[in-house]
Amino acid sequence: DAGITQSPRHKVTETGTPVTLRCHQTENHRYMYWYRQDPGHGLRLIHYSYGVKDTDKGEVSDGYSVSRSKTEDFLLTLESATSSQTSVYFCAISEFDGQNEKLFFGSGTQLSVL
Amino acid sequence: AQKITQTQPGMFVQEKEAVTLDCTYDTSDPSYGLFWYKQPSSGEMIFLIYQGSYDQQNATEGRYSLNFQKARKSANLVISASQLGDSAMYFCAMRGPPGGYNKLIFGAGTRLAVHP
């Protein structure tokens, strides 16, 4: 258990509304990531953070923004949700085990945009 | 561009037998890492095993081993003595571009069904 909590676990919203997903970690990891999972695509990186207020885009960042005002929280915001953003969203952290950096995931958030 | 390919959308295996899940990758970077994750029906992503490109030996973690063939650019997952609880989606992933801060590129996954 890498100490990652995602909230909410499930959310249903309407097209055009703003949505914020939260990722909280308790172990002071520097690197945090947001991925989305869609059928046939595996997981794709949306945004990532390499420190407080340090973030960068992934491969599918359009329509999403992120913020990291403190080490433990990484927020993903959909400014105006669209049906194409219906997906399962995973937060992840990097953890160094003494030899290699490994990625561990939270439990996921199922988002439905109607 | 880096790419991960899992060519088996679905596999099945009898309980207690071994099964190999295929993964091929493409990268021009000599330094990379390869991961396997398990996703059961409950949805969480569970880290299974990791192989670094410079590791001299194939990685093993309990019943999981990684058959790493660098020249062929393959990193197949071998599960020995399959159990019913091994039924899940399995994803192969590769650490992304240089300086990628552990950005992973995932394959599309293989669904494994273990039959009693």
Side-chain angles (χ1 to χ4, degrees):
Chain A
D1 184 357
I4 308 168
T5 305
Q6 290 186 233
S7 59
R9 292 296 311 277
H10 303 273
K11 184 161 182 73
V12 179
T13 191
E14 294 184 348
T15 300
T17 59
V19 177
T20 296
L21 309 182
R22 181 183 183 231
C23 179
H24 179 77
Q25 54 124 338
T26 58
E27 299 183 5
N28 206 35
H29 297 291
R30 179 180 174 190
Y31 299 115
M32 300 182 74
Y33 311 80
W34 277 107
Y35 284 85
R36 61 177 288 174
Q37 182 179 25
D38 304 292
H41 286 280
L43 277 75
R44 293 179 291 175
L45 182 65
I46 306 171
H47 281 280
Y48 65 99
S49 169
Y50 45 97
V52 173
K53 298 185 180 179
D54 291 325
T55 65
D56 205 349
K57 297 178 180 180
E59 61 178 310
V60 290
S61 59
D62 288 348
Y64 301 94
S65 63
V66 289
S67 66
R68 191 155 177 215
S69 59
K70 46 187 178 178
T71 300
E72 56 266 36
D73 289 324
F74 191 31
L75 305 181
L76 177 71
T77 297
L78 291 65
E79 300 291 345
S80 178
T82 67
S83 59
S84 65
Q85 293 175 311
T86 292
S87 188
V88 180
Y89 292 85
F90 285 97
C91 174
I93 57 92
S94 282
E95 189 171 276
F96 185 67
D97 69 355
Q99 285 190 311
N100 296 294
E101 289 275 353
K102 297 175 182 176
L103 219 64
F104 295 92
F105 288 84
S107 299
T109 295
Q110 173 71 60
L111 176 66
S112 298
V113 184
L114 305 179
Chain B
Q2 290 161 309
K3 187 177 179 182
I4 287 278
T5 302
Q6 295 180 255
T7 57
Q8 307 154 314
M11 290 280 288
F12 69 89
V13 64
Q14 290 294 126
E15 194 177 8
K16 300 181 184 178
E17 293 185 349
V19 62
T20 297
L21 306 184
D22 293 342
C23 174
T24 58
Y25 60 92
D26 189 20
T27 180
S28 57
D29 185 6
S31 176
Y32 53 88
L34 296 155
F35 299 75
W36 277 92
Y37 289 87
K38 172 185 178 182
Q39 187 177 42
S41 57
S42 53
E44 69 265 38
M45 292 288 289
I46 302 168
F47 168 81
L48 293 179
I49 196 166
Y50 171 83
Q51 179 84 44
S53 59
Y54 295 121
D55 292 345
Q56 294 297 310
Q57 294 184 326
N58 286 348
T60 60
E61 293 278 357
R63 294 186 299 111
Y64 304 107
S65 60
L66 203 151
N67 184 2
F68 182 45
Q69 298 187 41
K70 198 169 182 176
R72 297 181 59 188
K73 294 188 175 180
S74 74
N76 298 339
L77 177 71
V78 181
I79 305 175
S80 63
S82 297
Q83 302 172 355
L84 296 178
D86 294 334
S87 294
M89 282 289 289
Y90 288 83
F91 292 96
C92 180
M94 178 172 64
R95 196 190 312 279
Y101 301 104
N102 251 350
K103 293 187 287 184
L104 297 188
I105 300 167
F106 282 80
T110 296
R111 183 170 298 281
L112 176 66
V114 180
H115 295 173

